[in-house]
Amino acid sequence: MAISEAEAVVMDVLWREAPRSAEEILAEVGPAQDWQEGTVKSLLNRLLRKKAVHAERDGRRYLYTPLLTREQYVQQESKGLLDRLFGGRVAPLVAHFSEQRKLSKKDIAELRKLLQELDDEQH
Amino acid sequence: MAISEAEAVVMDVLWREAPRSAEEILAEVGPAQDWQEGTVKSLLNRLLRKKAVHAERDGRRYLYTPLLTREQYVQQESKGLLDRLFGGRVAPLVAHFSEQRKLSKKDIAELRKLLQELDDEQH
DNA sequence: CGCAATCATTTACGCGTGTAAACATCGATT
DNA sequence: AATCGATGTTTACACGCGTAAATGATTGCG
């Protein structure tokens, strides 16, 4: 089963650094999300059930480590969107943002560089 | 409120052509989705509540027209993903697909053309 | 006029989600 | 040993979603 948005917030903390205890996760995420301890615990348990994290005992508490990698998650999410909205192809997506004037100077420069690199490794 | 995936399937039909009756929508979408009449009606009612479509009476039935445009929808969805996963910037997204080798020849060609055009209209 | 067909509207139901309260456990402290 | 504090586990609850059955309203037909 897919991991939800609230669950992804917890994963984000673990992707930045792991292993971490529930308390540490709350400390990092609580301010922004205004979550209670119990909320984080619930999310962690759901992530455990989904095999997205692993827990190892550390004295009285658990330390959590991601099993699902950020790469895998990003891959799933973006492929889903791409398939649903752009026929699975990247260019139309970029064209969309281009039409909406949502390409920054920096984006354009980086895209150019990216294409250049693709060229270089071409042979 | 955001429109759900099943609702988006209905919207897709309306985006292709509108106005349409519930029956027509079912005819177009039923085979692929294996939905019953009632399912489509429910989705249409939810879309009405969300002000995503408009219904006008046509004799004994209604004809539905999209209020939310495909552009708006695509915009919301892709901006959401971009913000959540790539810090709101397009280049990292493309880089991601590039790393995953998910850029087709065609994509690359089109991206090149796109950047060229951006160049041209630059002044 | 009364009924069957045709639409639409309402209600339902199990499941996941966001959010947490309630409860259980276990080691430390009096 | 009884209690308290820290942790984790279970249960809860409202809401949206996917899917549809049940019910209601309208109208053409016999």
Side-chain angles (χ1 to χ4, degrees), chain A residues 96-113:
Chain A
H96 166 79
F97 283 108
S98 176
E99 281 156 26
Q100 307 296 133
R101 317 272 146 178
K102 288 292 160 47
L103 292 182
S104 64
K105 291 273 178 226
K106 203 171 163 199
D107 275 329
I108 295 173
E110 285 180 36
L111 287 175
R112 212 162 254 139
K113 186 141 146 274

Side-chain angles (χ1 to χ4, degrees), chain A residues 31-47:
Chain A
Q33 302 293 136
D34 195 36
W35 279 343
Q36 300 303 117
E37 179 94 18
T39 302
V40 172
K41 299 277 181 67
S42 280
L43 293 173
L44 281 169
N45 275 316
R46 288 175 185 173
L47 287 168

Side-chain angles (χ1 to χ4, degrees), chain A residues 22-100:
Chain A
E23 190 186 13
E24 290 168 324
I25 294 170
L26 176 64
E28 179 143 337
V29 98
Q33 302 293 136
D34 195 36
W35 279 343
Q36 300 303 117
E37 179 94 18
T39 302
V40 172
K41 299 277 181 67
S42 280
L43 293 173
L44 281 169
N45 275 316
R46 288 175 185 173
L47 287 168
L48 278 171
R49 231 183 297 132
K50 295 179 183 182
K51 308 271 189 229
V53 306
H54 167 255
E56 70 182 308
R57 194 125 226 160
D58 171 49
R60 48 171 69 269
R61 61 188 192 166
Y62 282 109
L63 295 182
Y64 300 87
T65 317
L67 290 180
L68 179 72
T69 70
R70 185 174 150 88
E71 274 319 301
Q72 290 171 327
Y73 176 69
V74 168
Q75 184 60 30
Q76 290 169 201
E77 292 294 301
S78 31
K79 183 169 186 318
L81 180 113
L82 206 66
D83 289 350
R84 274 192 303 120
L85 300 185
F86 300 98
R89 305 215 7 275
V90 175
L93 188 166
V94 176
H96 166 79
F97 283 108
S98 176
E99 281 156 26
Q100 307 296 133

Side-chain angles (χ1 to χ4, degrees), chain B residues 17-121:
Chain B
E17 184 180 328
R20 307 253 214 156
S21 69
E23 190 185 13
E24 289 167 326
I25 293 170
L26 175 65
E28 179 143 337
V29 98
Q33 302 295 135
D34 195 37
W35 279 343
Q36 300 304 117
E37 178 94 19
T39 302
V40 172
K41 299 277 180 69
S42 281
L43 293 173
L44 281 170
N45 276 316
R46 288 177 185 172
L47 287 168
L48 278 172
R49 233 184 295 134
K50 295 178 183 181
K51 307 275 189 223
V53 305
H54 167 254
E56 69 182 309
R57 196 120 225 168
D58 171 49
R60 48 171 71 269
R61 62 191 191 165
Y62 282 109
L63 294 182
Y64 300 88
T65 317
L67 290 180
L68 179 72
T69 70
R70 185 174 151 86
E71 274 318 303
Q72 290 171 327
Y73 176 69
V74 168
Q75 184 60 28
Q76 290 168 200
E77 292 294 300
S78 29
K79 183 167 187 321
L81 180 113
L82 207 66
D83 289 349
R84 275 191 303 122
L85 300 185
F86 299 98
R89 304 218 4 276
V90 175
L93 187 165
V94 177
H96 166 79
F97 282 109
S98 175
E99 281 156 26
Q100 308 295 134
R101 314 271 146 183
K102 287 293 161 47
L103 292 183
S104 64
K105 290 274 177 225
K106 203 171 165 201
D107 275 329
I108 296 173
E110 285 179 36
L111 287 174
R112 211 162 256 139
K113 186 142 145 274
L114 192 65
L115 287 177
Q116 186 56 53
E117 285 166 9
L118 286 175
D119 235 13
D120 294 349
E121 66 185 48

Side-chain angles (χ1 to χ4, degrees), chain A residues 113-123, chain B residues 112:
Chain A
K113 186 141 146 274
L114 192 66
L115 287 176
Q116 185 58 50
E117 285 166 10
L118 285 175
D119 235 12
D120 294 349
E121 64 185 48
Q122 191 50 30
H123 53 122
Chain B
R112 211 162 256 139

